[in-house]
Amino acid sequence: MSTAFIPRLRRFRRAAPWVLATAVAAAGASAAHAAEAAELLLRVGNASVPPGTIIYGDAVVIGGTLDVGGTVTGGATAAGGSVDVRGHVGGDVRAIGGNVILESTAVVDGTVQSTGGSVRIAPGAVIRRAPSGPQIPPVPIPPIPFPPSLPSPSPGAPYWMPPAFFGILAMWKLLAGLLLLFALFTFIGTAWLTAALFPGATAAVARTLERSPGAAGVAGVLAWFLVGPIAVLLILSVAGILLVLLLVAALLIAVQLGISAVAVLVGHRVHPGRIAVEALIGALLLAIAFAVPHLGWLAGFAATTWGTGGVVVAIMEYRRGRDPLPPAPPPTTAAPA
């Protein structure tokens, strides 16, 4: 090692602590600066800029309150909420659907605007450009209902609903009531007409329902479950469309005959007599039951399913009765001993 390098090494040793201290201080200052500087582009919900924090850009909050206690170099905007400024905003301050509150320590370089709310400016707040919107002194802000409760045309209706809507609603209810009455009278008429034109078939189905109520119910449920797959299989066949139309027609006939038989059973329990009169009385009572709110449709579905199952069981019993009996076995003779 040369003698000229030794003095340089000694000077480096004496200067090393100062260099290390300077590096640590610079790193600490850089970390502090990084901790105090941030960039907020968008935030959903409430957001806060604490004192001593710098936002390089715009601070935007959606559906919450923006609390600015530090510095925002850009604008401060809240959509669906309010903006409370206690620090410095370099741009505009805007609130959409909320209020703008400027405390006494607030400094705004741009404009102040509130849409759907108000601007509250405390004494001592500094605004570089004139604010827009109504200005009132800062007061405690009560909770504001959304939408605001305003007088409405009828109790419980929103204020924004036009009065003509209630006229349309009343006409629709009247039309629905008329359609319901028409459907009930049509049901009564078709049940009576079916029993009058086909008394033998209607009476046979009614006897089947009275004799085998459980089997009729099971057959009706199975009919509803099987009609869909059978229709799909028929569509895939060669003459599918024609067969599907025949299946739908047969189902409609079974439903009409079955519900007429149910009406005959009900009418027979109330006033026994001619089958057409029994069907008329039973259909009238069933129509009253079908018109009950929230339960009428369930009663109608149950009666239709039960009657359709009665038709299916009656057809099966009819075919079983017409099948020829198997021949009796020949008598056996004992062999001679």
Side-chain angles (χ1 to χ4, degrees), residues 88-127:
H88 182 202
V89 177
D92 300 331
V93 178
R94 295 187 181 92
I96 303 174
N99 303 321
V100 174
I101 305 171
L102 302 182
E103 306 292 345
S104 59
T105 58
V107 177
V108 179
D109 295 339
T111 60
V112 179
Q113 183 179 3
S114 173
T115 303
S118 60
V119 178
R120 293 172 169 84
I121 303 174
V126 178
I127 303 176

Side-chain angles (χ1 to χ4, degrees), residues 44-149:
V44 178
N46 298 331
S48 176
V49 181
T53 302
I54 302 175
I55 304 299
Y56 290 99
D58 296 333
V60 181
V61 167
I62 299 176
T65 300
L66 176 58
D67 186 5
V68 181
T71 301
V72 177
T73 60
T77 304
S82 301
V83 181
D84 189 353
V85 180
R86 293 177 288 107
H88 182 202
V89 177
D92 300 331
V93 178
R94 295 187 181 92
I96 303 174
N99 303 321
V100 174
I101 305 171
L102 302 182
E103 306 292 345
S104 59
T105 58
V107 177
V108 179
D109 295 339
T111 60
V112 179
Q113 183 179 3
S114 173
T115 303
S118 60
V119 178
R120 293 172 169 84
I121 303 174
V126 178
I127 303 176
R128 306 301 183 188
R129 282 183 277 180
S132 59
Q135 303 181 25
I136 58 178
V139 293
I141 304 175
I144 301 176
F146 184 82
S149 56

